[in-house]
Every structure is written in structure tokens, then in C-alpha cells.
Amino acid sequence: MPVPVIGGSTCRPFTGHCKSFEIKGVVMGSAPATGSQNIQSTLQEDRLFPPSEAFAAQANIDSEDKYLAMWERAKDDPVGFWGELACDNLTWSKDFDRVMEGDMPETKWFLGGKLNASAQCLDRHLTTWRKNKAAIIWEGEPGDVRVLTYLDLHREVCKFANVLKRLGVTKGDRVTLYMPMIPELAIAMLACARIGATHSIIFGGFSADAVAERNNDAQAKLIVTADGGWRRGKEVMLKRAVDESLAKSPTVEKVVVVRRTGDLHTKMEPDRDYWWHDLMEDVTADCEPTAVDSEHPLFILYTSGSTGKPKGVLHSTAGYMLGAMMTTKWVFDLKDEDTYWCTADIGWVTGHSYVVYGPLANGATTLMYEGAPNWPDEGRFWDLIEKYRVNVFYTAPTAIRAFIKWGDEWPAKYDLSSLRLLGSVGEPINPEAWMWYHNVIGKERCPIVDTWWQTETGGIMISPLPGVTATKPGSCTKPLPGVVPDIVNEQGESLGPNEGGLLVMKQPWPSMLRTLYGDHERFIETYFSKIPGCYFAGDGARRDEDGYYWVMGRVDDVLNVAGHRLSTMEVESALVSHKAVAEAAVVGFPHEVKGEGICCFVTLKQNTGTQALKDELKAHVRKQIGPIATPDEIRFAVAVPKTRSGKIMRRLLRDIAAGRETLGDTTTLEDYSVLANLRKEDEG
Ligand code: WT7
């Protein structure tokens, strides 16, 4: 194979003007001074938890030496490293002739090759003993159960791929999936992939307006939905939201509706809306996978950035699949006998990579659960673990904190002895929650993998290898093979041990996003212009004396509410679209369970702030964006603090929202009385 051009592997110093930023109270280049409790406690953390000898002996990567050798090789010879993995693990319809080409951010992978993601997840298992192995074990919230073997899943995917074709979907078209956590969601994803259509999944907790905005941005041709889904015993009315969204999304021609809840009020528009079960009756189960180029767009997934407009993160086929597959194997140490459960909704990237693509590409059994963890009671997750003898369990710190609050009596009622490995994702895990997870769920027996990654990275980047890494509670530990991170200051200079700075990636990796759909300029501006030559993740972090990474949180205006990413500007624009609101400033504040709560400072056109208006504004935001964005607090203010150039001083608002003294510099504050007024409102 010819040697490709690889560039951008070092961080060039940035000489231009940098926007100032802060890591939520952390002073750049020094240890955090005024950070939250979590950051304080992670700084003092020095407990070390090495894997047991028994675990290490059976692990897919079983020694420090092996890890180091892989990591060094991937860093020095990415072409050899990734080229071999792609040859050995992906099934190619046509072999690739170049492993990688081009500098970051334009790096392309496995050029010349052709493959199909659904064939990678399904067809190749059918010629092995796995054909009758459970691919998906699904349980609905009401307790209904379905098990699909690889052969079953293959049949359903082929049939639905034929349905899509019949409805006029062709290679390259975008298809929106707005569905509950039911097997049809996985089937629809893989069916899109099978015919080379690009799926764009929208989490079921988003509003009709959010669906319309995403349909329009992606120019989606068709939408697959359900009458509803079950959540805490109530029906989430998905089809109704779709109907509302379609008035504002002209590109969508057809709607396919799965009957899930049996909602009798579902209205079906002739020649536009079709029931899934009707369509599936008239198609065959023969559908050859369409071989697409390695770089063919597999999916778009919208995520929040620092402006009000969501970003359509676009992922490729070969690079993404290889990343999802290898990280699943390394980090979750998957074995053929395992029952693996990632609790994420498929509407988020975690569900894409670690409920569907990663596990299925590995031929694993993946458990899928439709509903809430506290329905019919707070023991539901533990009940599922006992019932299906789950071996590997992957969830989020916000869920763990809720479990702690609900009490140890819930997990104590169930047999959790099948568990051998635990995972965490979505936000920094506070050491208290880590220790509870380790003691109460893992019974001090199961390694914990705290996995740092993002929608943009496609797969896990920094994480313990469970058979190798001695873990420290609160640290996502070390980079996986092929990942070359650094902590830099605003000039792009590498920082020393325990100095807080920006987390960047210095080398490209196969599963990185390829662009923001329809806005390549924003892609370059967002990720590659702050620290030239590097991918800028948007997180603040430090690296300790042992080379362990400690991620502290976002440095931009992105909130992380219960593991969901939201932009402060999205919430602000929802608020100002209400007739009573003149101006709004939104900040996060530390929240016991959700990690971050949403606090909105609102100035009104007329000073008529009442509790009723607060409730109305909360409902308004919920309606505009979705329940995940419901403000925790609305505070009416006479004015919001601004710099002389008119920029909202979020740091001050964050201090006020958190009930902290304002310690930072206020010299650029335009009007000191604003601050005094806000505090008065605070006390009142
Ligand atoms: C942001 C990405 C990728 C899965 C779910 C979230 C935060 C994620 C961790 C972790 C500390 C984490 C970061 C990141 N984050 N995992 N293990 N430790 N922070 O995906 O919605 O794209 O959000 O979540 O701030 O930038 P996402």
C-alpha cells in the first residue's frame, strides 16, 4: 500500500487572538481554585483499583505491555495499525487501496474500498454458529419481551430495506427516525444502511419543532416513527409530534408508522402515512446489501453546539464501523457468551455505537429496554440484570446518582452476580458515585470503565482497558490505541502535570466526524480553528503525574443536563420567542442528580413577573425544544450583567445560580447595580 500523506500531527502554536474562556471556575494553567465539589474531590483522589488477576487473565487486551505496544504502534504507524485492523475485522465487498489520506480535518480512510454496515452487523454472522444466537433481547416497559436472533434480525432488516426502496428511498437519501426504544428502530437503522440511505435519528424526547428543524436541515425524504412509546406508564405521542412537524418540513414525502402503543387516535394521512406492519406484508426478505464507498455517509446525528442551531454531525461507513467495533471489543471486553446492556437511548450517539453498531458488528447479544429505570418501581434495572443475567452493564453518572438517591434496598433485592464489568459515560463521574457503583453494584469485583468520548468522535477515546488499567475514581484514565490527546493552553502549548487546559486530539482517528451536514465551514471553525492542527473537543481537562486524564467539563456554552447535551443559546432563543420576554441568559448550575441544572435569568417586556408566568415559560421551553430542556429555575431580573461590549457575563450568572460568592474579576462589568439587583432577586 502506498504511504499516505499524514499531516496535522503536532499542535502549532496559535498566534492569533483567542476568545477568552474559563473552565467553569477553573483558572487556566493552574489547579482548579473555585471549581465545584466534584472537581475539588477529584483533585484529592488517590485511590487505585487494579483489575483482579482473574479478570486480566481472560481479557481481550490482557497486559500493560500489550496496550503500550498497540498504543505506540498506532501513534507511530497509524497506516499499519489501522490498515491491519480494517483488513482483519471489516468485511469488504471491494478491498481498499489506501489506509488514510489527507491532513486533519480532511483525513479520509480506507479509500478505494467498498462495504456495507448492515452486512458487517448481520450477514457475516449468518455463515457461522451465530446465526441462531440472540442478537437483540428486547423488553418493553410494560414487560413484553422479544428476542431476535441474527437470522431474524437479518430477515426483518432485508424486508424493511425493501419497503424503503418501494417508497422511493435510494442511496444517499436522508431518512429521519423518530422512534421509541423498540427493535424496529434498530431494524430501520440497519435497513437504511443496507441500501446506502443515511439515517438521522431524533431522540423521542424532542419536540415537533425540533423534529421539523432537523428534517429541514437534513432535507429528509421519509420519516419512520411509531404511534407512541411507553415512558413511566404514559404514552409518548410520537406520531402526533410528527404530524405537527410535517406542516413545517416540506421535504418529507412519506411516513412509516410502527404500531406500538395501539393509540386509537393515530391519524393516518392517505398516500403519505403507512403502517409498518402493512408494508412488511408485501415484501420479500431478499435484499442484497448495497456496497458503498468507505467514506459514504452512514448517519447524521444532531447535537448541540454553542449557538442555537444544532449541528448535524456526519459519520462515515468504514471508519465509524471500525471504531465502534474495536472499541466495543477492547473496552467492554466482549465475549461471545456475554449478555451486554447499554442503557442509552438509541437517539443519542451512545445508543448508535454501543447498543447497535458496535455490539452487532462483534456478533454480541445486546439488551434493549424501552422505558424508565423507575417503572413500575426503582428496581427495574436490577430486575432486568437478574432476569437476563447481564454480564456487562453500561450507564451514565446521572442514572447512578438517581440510584443512590433511591436507596441501596433496591439493588439489594436482586441477584447481580452475573455482572463482570461496569461502564460509565456522558459526564465526569464524581468519586462518590464511582465508589457506590463499585461497592453496591459491582460488589468490589467488577472493573469500572469510565469512557470519555463525544458524538463527534464516533466511539470511545479515553477509557480504562478493564484487564489492564488500574482505575482511579473520577478519571477516564488513558487514551485507547490510535488516540493521541494532549492538554494545551490557548496558545496550543502542551501543559504539565495537573495543569488545567483544553483537551485536544493531535492525530486523526477513523471514526471521527467528517463534517457538519451542509456546513463544512462551521465544522472547521468549531473543531479545528481554536488550536490549529488539532481537534478541539470543547472540554477542559488535566493530566496527572501518571498520565491519567481528568475531564472537568465543557469550556463552551454547552450544558450537560443528565448526560444530554444542550446549548444555552437554544434555551435562550426558546425563551425570547415568548411574547412576554425581552431578554434571557441561561446558565447551568450544579445539580445533585442531573449533574447540571438549567437556570434562566429572564428580563420581561413589562415587569409582571409571577409564578404563573414562570410556569408558563418552563412549559414554553419544553414545547419548543422538548422535555429534556425544561428549565429547573426561572429568575426574573431587571437586567442581565454584560461586559461593555455587550457580552453576557455567564461566569457571574453561574456563580449566582450556584449560590456562590462571585470571586472572579468583575472589572469589565458594565453596570455594577445589575449584580446587586440579581442578588436581591436571589434573596427575595
Ligand atoms: C460531552 C459529549 C459520548 C457519549 C455521550 C455524550 C461529556 C462524555 C464523559 C466522561 C467526562 C464526559 C464531555 C463531552 N462527557 N463522557 N466519561 N467523562 N465527561 O455525548 O452528547 O456528544 O457529549 O459529554 O463534556 O464533551 P455528547
Side-chain angles (χ1 to χ4, degrees):
M1 282 175 188
V3 179
V5 192
I6 315 167
S9 57
T10 53
C11 288
R12 293 188 293 277
F14 181 46
T15 47
H17 171 73
C18 262
K19 273 188 279 179
S20 72
F21 74 96
E22 33 152 345
I23 305 167
K24 291 179 187 151
V26 177
V27 185
M28 282 287 290
S30 70
T34 60
S36 68
Q37 292 259 313
N38 295 352
I39 290 171
Q40 286 293 346
S41 53
T42 58
L43 262 184
Q44 291 148 12
E45 187 56 65
D46 52 12
R47 286 170 288 201
L48 203 61
F49 295 85
S52 68
E53 261 170 48
F55 193 100
Q58 60 78 61
N60 291 345
I61 300 180
D62 57 5
S63 74
E64 175 93 20
D65 289 350
K66 223 178 257 181
Y67 159 66
L68 285 175
M70 285 169 81
W71 194 82
E72 294 292 341
R73 163 107 199 271
K75 180 167 157 286
D76 300 336
D77 173 23
V79 170
F81 179 79
W82 290 114
E84 274 170 30
L85 284 179
C87 281
D88 295 347
N89 293 283
L90 297 179
T91 301
W92 297 92
S93 310
K94 179 177 171 285
D95 286 343
F96 58 92
D97 44 46
R98 283 153 293 163
V99 174
M100 61 195 291
E101 201 168 83
D103 287 355
M104 201 157 59
E106 307 296 347
T107 316
K108 304 285 178 273
W109 294 82
F110 313 117
L111 291 171
K114 282 185 187 285
L115 76 170
N116 182 282
S118 89
Q120 177 69 23
C121 291
L122 303 171
D123 303 50
R124 67 195 199 92
H125 303 310
L126 301 187
T127 53
T128 72
W129 65 271
R130 290 193 190 94
K131 72 174 189 284
N132 288 319
K133 175 181 176 175
I136 297 178
I137 298 178
W138 173 83
E139 186 163 312
E141 196 185 69
D144 38 345
V145 176
R146 283 163 68 189
V147 178
L148 287 99
T149 64
Y150 275 92
L151 199 54
D152 294 332
L153 187 58
H154 177 265
R155 182 176 53 247
E156 298 304 306
V157 167
C158 288
K159 285 174 72 180
F160 195 64
N162 283 333
V163 164
L164 290 174
K165 281 196 223 162
R166 206 179 254 201
L167 293 176
V169 178
T170 56
K171 185 177 155 194
D173 284 343
R174 274 82 52 219
V175 174
T176 295
L177 310 179
Y178 181 61
M179 299 172 76
M181 280 287 282
I182 54 177
E184 283 80 0
L185 174 50
I187 294 167
M189 293 165 82
L190 293 164
C192 287
R194 197 157 190 91
I195 63 171
T198 301
H199 59 72
S200 161
I201 305 184
I202 305 175
F203 173 60
F206 277 114
S207 68
D209 284 345
V211 174
E213 185 177 15
R214 286 158 179 76
N215 280 340
N216 290 337
D217 192 82
Q219 302 276 292
K221 190 166 181 181
L222 182 138
I223 175 161
V224 186
T225 187
D227 47 0
W230 293 111
R231 185 88 193 164
R232 252 174 233 113
K234 292 212 186 69
E235 217 179 316
V236 183
M237 302 292 195
L238 296 169
K239 174 62 164 64
R240 285 190 210 176
V242 166
D243 288 341
E244 206 184 315
S245 79
L246 288 191
K248 297 177 207 161
S249 25
T251 61
V252 178
E253 295 163 14
K254 307 271 184 211
V255 182
V256 179
V257 188
V258 178
R259 180 171 281 151
R260 165 68 190 134
T261 56
D263 171 24
L264 297 174
H265 306 288
T266 304
K267 286 200 197 71
M268 298 293 278
E269 177 90 20
D271 298 325
R272 190 197 72 182
D273 301 351
Y274 304 86
W275 287 108
W276 172 292
H277 55 266
D278 287 341
L279 295 169
M280 291 288 265
E281 268 181 21
D282 313 328
V283 288
T284 71
D286 299 322
C287 178
E288 278 306 307
T290 302
V292 299
D293 290 334
S294 292
E295 286 291 320
H296 185 74
L298 179 61
F299 67 85
I300 301 170
L301 181 57
Y302 286 88
T303 187
S304 294
S306 38
T307 72
K309 193 175 178 294
K311 305 186 287 198
V313 169
L314 186 121
H315 279 289
S316 70
T317 301
Y320 171 81
M321 285 305 298
L322 186 64
M325 187 174 174
M326 298 326 298
T327 53
T328 305
K329 189 167 176 173
W330 294 337
V331 175
F332 300 115
D333 192 46
L334 270 196
K335 303 294 189 305
D336 253 319
E337 314 81 69
D338 281 331
T339 299
Y340 159 92
W341 184 22
C342 164
T343 68
D345 192 290
I346 293 174
W348 307 106
V349 74
T350 309
H352 284 62
S353 302
Y354 299 110
V355 178
V356 180
Y357 287 116
L360 296 180
N362 281 290
T365 297
T366 178
L367 178 66
M368 214 176 141
Y369 167 60
E370 177 187 31
N374 54 351
W375 189 268
D377 62 35
E378 281 72 7
R380 187 62 183 270
F381 273 18
W382 320 123
D383 178 52
L384 285 158
I385 290 174
E386 177 182 288
K387 185 169 172 190
Y388 298 104
R389 298 277 183 271
V390 171
N391 308 104
V392 180
F393 178 65
Y394 188 32
T395 196
T398 184
I400 297 168
R401 289 190 297 265
F403 302 145
I404 297 173
K405 219 173 146 185
W406 294 338
D408 294 5
E409 61 270 28
W410 290 105
K413 287 185 202 174
Y414 297 89
D415 177 8
L416 306 180
S417 60
S418 58
L419 290 173
R420 64 179 194 91
L421 174 60
L422 304 173
S424 169
V425 63
E427 58 179 303
I429 179 166
N430 44 311
E432 296 73 17
W434 196 102
M435 287 308 300
W436 183 89
Y437 203 27
H438 173 75
N439 291 327
V440 179
I441 305 304
K443 314 280 189 228
E444 300 174 34
R445 210 171 30 79
C446 305
I448 295 179
V449 288
D450 173 4
T451 62
W452 179 88
W453 60 296
Q454 309 177 296
T455 305
E456 292 87 342
T457 67
I460 297 169
M461 301 287 281
I462 307 180
S463 165
L465 289 171
V468 174
T469 318
T471 51
K472 302 183 186 184
S475 167
C476 54
T477 75
K478 296 193 174 187
L480 294 184
V483 175
V484 187
D486 200 5
I487 306 288
V488 300
N489 62 16
E490 290 186 51
Q491 284 71 47
E493 295 156 352
S494 235
L495 294 174
N498 292 316
E499 291 186 324
L502 305 172
L503 178 61
V504 297
M505 300 297 147
K506 302 205 293 187
Q507 225 168 266
W509 65 100
S511 68
M512 71 187 282
L513 79 166
R514 296 299 190 265
T515 190
L516 293 176
Y517 190 75
D519 200 347
H520 200 65
E521 242 167 71
R522 186 176 179 197
F523 161 73
I524 292 175
E525 162 67 28
T526 309
Y527 306 107
F528 300 95
S529 66
K530 185 158 180 84
I531 308 295
C534 291
Y535 168 83
F536 167 58
D539 279 331
R542 69 185 169 91
R543 190 172 36 203
D544 70 16
E545 51 289 341
D546 301 322
Y548 281 47
Y549 285 79
W550 300 78
V551 173
M552 295 184 263
R554 304 287 309 190
V555 295
D556 51 14
D557 294 329
V558 169
L559 303 178
N560 192 330
V561 180
H564 301 323
R565 223 163 119 174
L566 276 174
S567 117
T568 50
M569 284 204 18
E570 255 172 306
V571 183
E572 283 162 9
S573 32
L575 283 165
V576 296
S577 73
H578 188 280
K579 59 183 186 310
V581 175
E583 197 175 29
V586 171
V587 295
F589 66 93
H591 186 284
E592 198 195 338
V593 174
K594 297 199 278 187
E596 232 173 354
I598 305 175
C599 179
C600 311
F601 294 87
V602 172
T603 63
L604 297 172
K605 287 178 185 156
Q606 278 154 354
N607 203 3
T608 50
T610 58
Q611 184 57 44
L613 184 57
K614 285 189 183 179
D615 295 341
E616 193 179 316
L617 291 177
K618 283 186 190 178
H620 182 72
V621 174
R622 209 182 147 89
K623 168 91 179 52
Q624 294 276 309
I625 306 174
I628 54 163
T630 310
D632 295 276
E633 242 183 273
I634 305 266
R635 296 194 185 193
F636 295 123
V638 192
V640 293
K642 288 192 184 159
T643 61
R644 274 166 221 138
S645 61
K647 241 186 127 227
I648 296 172
M649 297 187 77
R650 289 181 196 281
R651 179 170 48 78
L652 297 185
L653 293 178
R654 277 202 287 269
D655 284 347
I656 294 167
R660 280 192 297 264
E661 280 300 308
T662 299
L663 299 169
D665 179 19
T666 55
T667 49
T668 52
L669 185 62
E670 213 241 343
D671 177 0
Y672 280 92
S673 66
V674 166
L675 203 56
N677 274 325
L678 284 170
R679 292 212 180 280
K680 241 185 270 155
E681 149 83 10
D682 203 11
E683 288 144 18

mmCIF file of all heavy atoms in Angstrom, residues 349-350 425-428 450-455 539 551 554 560 565, ligand 1:
data_model
loop_
_atom_site.group_PDB
_atom_site.id
_atom_site.type_symbol
_atom_site.label_atom_id
_atom_site.label_comp_id
_atom_site.label_asym_id
_atom_site.label_seq_id
_atom_site.Cartn_x
_atom_site.Cartn_y
_atom_site.Cartn_z
ATOM 1 N N VAL A 349 -25.735 9.248 20.600
ATOM 2 C CA VAL A 349 -24.649 8.527 19.936
ATOM 3 C C VAL A 349 -24.278 7.256 20.693
ATOM 4 O O VAL A 349 -23.898 6.247 20.093
ATOM 5 C CB VAL A 349 -23.417 9.429 19.708
ATOM 6 C CG1 VAL A 349 -22.664 9.689 21.011
ATOM 7 C CG2 VAL A 349 -22.501 8.856 18.634
ATOM 8 N N THR A 350 -24.404 7.280 22.006
ATOM 9 C CA THR A 350 -24.063 6.088 22.785
ATOM 10 C C THR A 350 -24.904 4.893 22.326
ATOM 11 O O THR A 350 -24.412 3.773 22.223
ATOM 12 C CB THR A 350 -24.259 6.341 24.290
ATOM 13 O OG1 THR A 350 -23.580 7.547 24.626
ATOM 14 C CG2 THR A 350 -23.722 5.210 25.119
ATOM 15 N N VAL A 425 -20.612 6.710 31.194
ATOM 16 C CA VAL A 425 -20.410 7.655 30.096
ATOM 17 C C VAL A 425 -21.341 8.849 30.202
ATOM 18 O O VAL A 425 -22.430 8.742 30.751
ATOM 19 C CB VAL A 425 -20.663 6.993 28.724
ATOM 20 C CG1 VAL A 425 -22.097 6.520 28.563
ATOM 21 C CG2 VAL A 425 -20.309 7.944 27.566
ATOM 22 N N GLY A 426 -20.905 9.971 29.663
ATOM 23 C CA GLY A 426 -21.799 11.112 29.490
ATOM 24 C C GLY A 426 -21.349 12.370 30.191
ATOM 25 O O GLY A 426 -21.628 13.470 29.753
ATOM 26 N N GLU A 427 -20.644 12.221 31.285
ATOM 27 C CA GLU A 427 -20.184 13.378 32.050
ATOM 28 C C GLU A 427 -19.140 12.857 33.039
ATOM 29 O O GLU A 427 -19.032 11.642 33.241
ATOM 30 C CB GLU A 427 -21.349 14.025 32.799
ATOM 31 C CG GLU A 427 -22.022 13.047 33.725
ATOM 32 C CD GLU A 427 -23.179 13.633 34.507
ATOM 33 O OE1 GLU A 427 -22.963 14.628 35.214
ATOM 34 O OE2 GLU A 427 -24.275 13.065 34.429
ATOM 35 N N PRO A 428 -18.408 13.759 33.660
ATOM 36 C CA PRO A 428 -17.451 13.272 34.651
ATOM 37 C C PRO A 428 -18.216 12.560 35.762
ATOM 38 O O PRO A 428 -19.278 13.019 36.181
ATOM 39 C CB PRO A 428 -16.817 14.564 35.180
ATOM 40 C CG PRO A 428 -17.088 15.610 34.145
ATOM 41 C CD PRO A 428 -18.387 15.219 33.504
ATOM 42 N N ASP A 450 -14.716 4.122 32.856
ATOM 43 C CA ASP A 450 -15.282 5.468 32.699
ATOM 44 C C ASP A 450 -14.816 5.955 31.331
ATOM 45 O O ASP A 450 -13.644 6.251 31.134
ATOM 46 C CB ASP A 450 -14.764 6.353 33.836
ATOM 47 C CG ASP A 450 -15.150 7.822 33.666
ATOM 48 O OD1 ASP A 450 -15.882 8.161 32.711
ATOM 49 O OD2 ASP A 450 -14.696 8.645 34.492
ATOM 50 N N THR A 451 -15.749 6.016 30.386
ATOM 51 C CA THR A 451 -15.398 6.220 28.984
ATOM 52 C C THR A 451 -15.651 7.655 28.541
ATOM 53 O O THR A 451 -16.783 8.122 28.547
ATOM 54 C CB THR A 451 -16.225 5.278 28.098
ATOM 55 O OG1 THR A 451 -17.623 5.595 28.246
ATOM 56 C CG2 THR A 451 -16.022 3.821 28.484
ATOM 57 N N TRP A 452 -14.579 8.348 28.165
ATOM 58 C CA TRP A 452 -14.752 9.706 27.633
ATOM 59 C C TRP A 452 -14.805 9.656 26.115
ATOM 60 O O TRP A 452 -13.905 9.084 25.475
ATOM 61 C CB TRP A 452 -13.605 10.643 28.048
ATOM 62 C CG TRP A 452 -13.811 12.016 27.446
ATOM 63 C CD1 TRP A 452 -14.516 13.045 28.000
ATOM 64 C CD2 TRP A 452 -13.367 12.476 26.161
ATOM 65 N NE1 TRP A 452 -14.548 14.110 27.127
ATOM 66 C CE2 TRP A 452 -13.857 13.801 26.003
ATOM 67 C CE3 TRP A 452 -12.627 11.905 25.122
ATOM 68 C CZ2 TRP A 452 -13.610 14.564 24.847
ATOM 69 C CZ3 TRP A 452 -12.390 12.656 23.974
ATOM 70 C CH2 TRP A 452 -12.874 13.982 23.845
ATOM 71 N N TRP A 453 -15.823 10.261 25.560
ATOM 72 C CA TRP A 453 -15.930 10.441 24.106
ATOM 73 C C TRP A 453 -17.056 11.394 23.810
ATOM 74 O O TRP A 453 -17.614 11.995 24.735
ATOM 75 C CB TRP A 453 -16.094 9.094 23.388
ATOM 76 C CG TRP A 453 -17.299 8.276 23.751
ATOM 77 C CD1 TRP A 453 -17.585 7.729 24.964
ATOM 78 C CD2 TRP A 453 -18.372 7.900 22.884
ATOM 79 N NE1 TRP A 453 -18.767 7.029 24.898
ATOM 80 C CE2 TRP A 453 -19.273 7.121 23.642
ATOM 81 C CE3 TRP A 453 -18.660 8.117 21.527
ATOM 82 C CZ2 TRP A 453 -20.443 6.578 23.093
ATOM 83 C CZ3 TRP A 453 -19.808 7.571 20.999
ATOM 84 C CH2 TRP A 453 -20.686 6.820 21.768
ATOM 85 N N GLN A 454 -17.392 11.578 22.548
ATOM 86 C CA GLN A 454 -18.391 12.561 22.141
ATOM 87 C C GLN A 454 -19.125 12.084 20.894
ATOM 88 O O GLN A 454 -18.624 11.215 20.174
ATOM 89 C CB GLN A 454 -17.707 13.879 21.754
ATOM 90 C CG GLN A 454 -16.736 14.414 22.768
ATOM 91 C CD GLN A 454 -16.049 15.667 22.280
ATOM 92 O OE1 GLN A 454 -15.307 15.638 21.298
ATOM 93 N NE2 GLN A 454 -16.304 16.781 22.952
ATOM 94 N N THR A 455 -20.261 12.721 20.606
ATOM 95 C CA THR A 455 -20.970 12.443 19.365
ATOM 96 C C THR A 455 -19.985 12.531 18.189
ATOM 97 O O THR A 455 -19.992 11.698 17.286
ATOM 98 C CB THR A 455 -22.090 13.491 19.168
ATOM 99 O OG1 THR A 455 -22.912 13.487 20.337
ATOM 100 C CG2 THR A 455 -22.930 13.179 17.946
ATOM 101 N N ASP A 539 -13.801 20.444 25.783
ATOM 102 C CA ASP A 539 -13.735 20.115 27.210
ATOM 103 C C ASP A 539 -12.462 20.670 27.849
ATOM 104 O O ASP A 539 -11.417 20.746 27.203
ATOM 105 C CB ASP A 539 -13.723 18.590 27.414
ATOM 106 C CG ASP A 539 -15.119 17.988 27.337
ATOM 107 O OD1 ASP A 539 -16.086 18.686 27.677
ATOM 108 O OD2 ASP A 539 -15.241 16.825 26.923
ATOM 109 N N VAL A 551 -11.333 14.788 33.100
ATOM 110 C CA VAL A 551 -12.115 15.749 32.327
ATOM 111 C C VAL A 551 -12.981 16.559 33.290
ATOM 112 O O VAL A 551 -13.635 15.997 34.161
ATOM 113 C CB VAL A 551 -12.993 15.024 31.282
ATOM 114 C CG1 VAL A 551 -13.935 15.993 30.585
ATOM 115 C CG2 VAL A 551 -12.105 14.312 30.261
ATOM 116 N N ARG A 554 -17.335 21.106 30.024
ATOM 117 C CA ARG A 554 -17.279 21.925 28.816
ATOM 118 C C ARG A 554 -16.684 23.298 29.105
ATOM 119 O O ARG A 554 -16.892 23.863 30.172
ATOM 120 C CB ARG A 554 -18.686 22.108 28.243
ATOM 121 C CG ARG A 554 -19.426 20.828 27.953
ATOM 122 C CD ARG A 554 -18.926 20.081 26.761
ATOM 123 N NE ARG A 554 -18.826 20.903 25.571
ATOM 124 C CZ ARG A 554 -18.596 20.392 24.356
ATOM 125 N NH1 ARG A 554 -18.450 19.086 24.183
ATOM 126 N NH2 ARG A 554 -18.496 21.181 23.328
ATOM 127 N N ASN A 560 -24.546 20.164 30.116
ATOM 128 C CA ASN A 560 -24.666 18.714 30.155
ATOM 129 C C ASN A 560 -25.686 18.379 31.237
ATOM 130 O O ASN A 560 -25.366 18.289 32.407
ATOM 131 C CB ASN A 560 -23.293 18.095 30.458
ATOM 132 C CG ASN A 560 -23.289 16.596 30.233
ATOM 133 O OD1 ASN A 560 -24.315 15.937 30.388
ATOM 134 N ND2 ASN A 560 -22.138 16.049 29.893
ATOM 135 N N ARG A 565 -26.767 16.780 25.957
ATOM 136 C CA ARG A 565 -26.074 17.997 25.576
ATOM 137 C C ARG A 565 -27.072 19.039 25.109
ATOM 138 O O ARG A 565 -27.902 18.775 24.260
ATOM 139 C CB ARG A 565 -25.144 17.640 24.431
ATOM 140 C CG ARG A 565 -23.818 18.250 24.542
ATOM 141 C CD ARG A 565 -22.925 17.492 23.609
ATOM 142 N NE ARG A 565 -22.424 18.412 22.615
ATOM 143 C CZ ARG A 565 -21.515 18.071 21.726
ATOM 144 N NH1 ARG A 565 -21.054 16.837 21.673
ATOM 145 N NH2 ARG A 565 -21.082 18.941 20.875
HETATM 146 C C1 WT7 B 1 -19.574 15.552 26.110
HETATM 147 C C2 WT7 B 1 -20.022 14.877 24.848
HETATM 148 C C3 WT7 B 1 -20.336 10.321 24.080
HETATM 149 C C4 WT7 B 1 -21.346 9.816 24.850
HETATM 150 C C5 WT7 B 1 -22.370 10.654 25.467
HETATM 151 C C6 WT7 B 1 -22.223 12.123 25.412
HETATM 152 C C7 WT7 B 1 -19.014 14.871 28.255
HETATM 153 C C8 WT7 B 1 -18.890 12.365 27.960
HETATM 154 C C9 WT7 B 1 -17.581 11.787 29.600
HETATM 155 C C10 WT7 B 1 -16.769 11.188 30.602
HETATM 156 C C11 WT7 B 1 -16.300 13.332 31.428
HETATM 157 C C12 WT7 B 1 -17.714 13.191 29.608
HETATM 158 C C13 WT7 B 1 -17.928 15.754 27.724
HETATM 159 C C14 WT7 B 1 -18.085 15.648 26.227
HETATM 160 N N1 WT7 B 1 -18.541 13.517 28.586
HETATM 161 N N2 WT7 B 1 -18.323 11.318 28.574
HETATM 162 N N3 WT7 B 1 -16.601 9.858 30.683
HETATM 163 N N4 WT7 B 1 -16.151 11.995 31.486
HETATM 164 N N5 WT7 B 1 -17.072 13.959 30.515
HETATM 165 O O1 WT7 B 1 -22.009 12.557 24.098
HETATM 166 O O2 WT7 B 1 -23.667 14.400 23.895
HETATM 167 O O3 WT7 B 1 -21.651 14.290 22.391
HETATM 168 O O4 WT7 B 1 -21.422 14.888 24.818
HETATM 169 O O5 WT7 B 1 -20.001 14.793 27.233
HETATM 170 O O6 WT7 B 1 -18.166 17.066 28.149
HETATM 171 O O7 WT7 B 1 -17.586 16.752 25.520
HETATM 172 P P1 WT7 B 1 -22.224 14.053 23.731
#
